[in-house]
Amino acid sequence: MTGSRKNTLSGKSVLRLLDLTPEELQLVLETAQTQKAEWSLGIHDTPLSGAAIAIIMEKPSMRTRASFEVGAARLGAHPVVMSDSRSAFSRGETVQDTTLVLERFVDAIVIRTFEQQKVEEIAEWASIPVVNALTDMFHPCQGLADLLTIKEHKGDLAGLTLAYVGDGNNMAHTYLEGGALSGMRVRIATPADFACDEFVIEECEEVAALTGATIQVGTDPIWAVTDADVVITDTWTSMGDEEEHDMRVQAFQGFCVDAALMAHAKEDAVFLHCLPAHRGEEVTDEVMDGEQSLIYDEAENRLHAQKALLYLLMTKA
Ligand code: CP
Ligand code: NVA
């Protein structure tokens, strides 16, 4: 299922895309493409038969939860979903105790939470793979699905221009990392007060120097999308920021992805949004529902990308 590439991901954790090498990123995408094609042909192997996967949600989720649960089931693994405030890491028990007990039952931990530090601590204690299903800093699984969607529609990622317009949030960080690993030209436009974290930019610039990617950040949406192959945005109000919603709507005026902004991108540019979207805020209905929009393919690819990732992390090299 991994083609000619060696599976160097066996047993590893993925807490951000920079946990992958450029080759490992391509391995995940190629495996996802193969598995997706095989599934549609009726080849329904269950390589993780007998395994169990904890899926822990400390923030709301629809896509991530459903796609991991179905992905685990399709691989033959049993998903153990914990999403209320009385389970897993939400009861005041130490991260050490919860992790060391949980891994007696399951073979991988998928977790969505607030602090990146928490998933790092879980991964330090765990002897099984840990997968970040979104933190305040990163959303690597969404990044994999998005890169898979771009690859399906545009072919090789290297050299493509990816423009992100909006908040310098977990998704912006993830596109910086995914673009750097894939040799893309990444342009990020945010309001000055909502820029990406400097340390993520610096780490991505180091990777870009090795892959041929370029990383540019600025504050002008038109600059970002001009001649872009891919235009992406995300909510201005991420989970946890809800009290700032009204202030943010004011601060992000001029950053809405509408048809006029899309007209600056290449004619065959595609539009992505991880969803959920706030239609009428960061993006218009016209763009969301327009011919360039791939949002539903992108959402479906959560399943295929994560299924490939779990398969690679949880099978022997
Ligand atoms: N895109 C995404 O992660 O969606 P959910 O919050 O619904 O999981
Ligand atoms: N930036 C968003 C992504 C949701 C999938 C959030 O963190 O809420």
Side-chain angles (χ1 to χ4, degrees):
M1 260 191 199
T2 60
S4 55
R5 290 183 197 262
K6 192 172 178 299
N7 178 15
T8 53
L9 282 168
S10 181
K12 289 191 181 167
S13 291
V14 176
L15 309 182
R16 57 188 290 190
L17 285 182
L18 285 197
D19 287 338
L20 305 175
T21 64
E23 294 74 25
E24 287 169 342
L25 174 60
Q26 292 312 314
L27 174 64
V28 177
L29 300 182
E30 285 167 15
T31 304
Q33 285 185 300
T34 303
Q35 290 183 342
K36 184 176 177 178
E38 287 177 349
W39 184 267
S40 71
L41 290 171
I43 302 169
H44 295 174
D45 293 344
T46 51
L48 299 185
S49 181
I53 300 172
I55 300 168
I56 300 163
M57 294 292 168
E58 298 189 341
K59 284 179 173 177
S61 172
M62 184 274 273
R63 279 146 286 267
T64 307
R65 175 183 167 158
S67 54
F68 266 113
E69 201 167 339
V70 172
R74 285 193 184 184
L75 288 164
H78 178 76
V80 181
V81 180
M82 289 176 263
S83 59
D84 66 64
S85 59
R86 294 176 302 282
S87 60
F89 296 96
S90 316
R91 297 175 63 196
E93 189 176 44
T94 64
V95 169
Q96 172 188 348
D97 288 346
T98 303
T99 306
L100 295 182
V101 172
L102 199 52
E103 69 175 17
R104 300 288 175 109
F105 307 130
V106 302
D107 303 282
I109 298 172
V110 173
I111 177 159
R112 166 171 290 194
T113 189
F114 292 82
E115 310 86 7
Q116 183 70 12
Q117 196 194 347
K118 185 161 173 181
V119 294
E120 286 168 5
E121 191 182 348
I122 296 166
E124 272 167 31
W125 287 111
S127 60
I128 55 176
V130 177
V131 176
N132 177 358
L134 181 146
T135 60
D136 294 343
M137 283 302 294
F138 300 109
H139 196 0
C141 296
Q142 182 72 51
L144 292 173
D146 292 10
L147 293 173
L148 176 61
T149 309
I150 298 166
K151 192 166 162 30
E152 285 176 341
H153 286 265
K154 296 277 175 200
D156 274 352
L157 299 174
L160 293 175
T161 299
L162 182 157
Y164 173 90
V165 173
D167 190 13
N169 62 12
N170 45 9
M171 285 315 312
H173 292 157
T174 297
Y175 296 123
L176 282 170
E177 297 200 349
L181 286 166
S182 318
M184 299 176 91
R185 299 162 202 261
V186 185
R187 291 195 215 122
I188 306 272
T190 68
D193 291 340
F194 297 88
C196 292
D197 279 29
E198 201 55 46
F199 89 88
V200 179
I201 296 170
E202 284 168 14
E203 289 177 4
C204 288
E205 281 170 344
E206 285 172 25
V207 173
L210 304 173
T211 63
T214 57
I215 302 293
Q216 292 178 292
V217 295
T219 56
D220 180 357
I222 293 176
W223 158 79
V225 305
T226 296
D227 294 329
D229 298 287
V230 185
V231 178
I232 314 184
T233 189
D234 182 25
T235 180
W236 296 335
T237 309
S238 285
M239 291 178 272
D241 294 336
E242 289 82 358
E243 283 182 10
E244 297 179 2
H245 174 261
D246 293 351
M247 175 275 283
R248 284 173 169 265
V249 169
Q250 290 309 312
F252 283 81
Q253 287 312 300
F255 283 77
C256 176
V257 177
D258 56 15
L261 188 65
M262 283 299 291
H264 292 276
K266 283 191 183 151
E267 220 173 293
D268 63 351
V270 296
F271 171 77
L272 299 180
H273 189 310
C274 68
L275 309 177
H278 296 69
R279 288 169 175 253
E281 291 187 11
E282 75 272 10
V283 59
T284 59
D285 286 335
E286 192 181 4
V287 172
M288 286 283 281
D289 302 325
E291 283 185 357
Q292 291 166 288
S293 174
L294 299 178
I295 54 173
Y296 303 124
D297 288 346
E298 177 188 5
E300 178 189 331
N301 278 336
R302 296 296 306 280
L303 169 60
H304 303 297
Q306 290 156 195
K307 195 172 153 228
L309 183 66
L310 291 174
Y311 167 74
L312 292 164
L313 299 178
M314 295 177 70
T315 49
K316 292 216 161 59

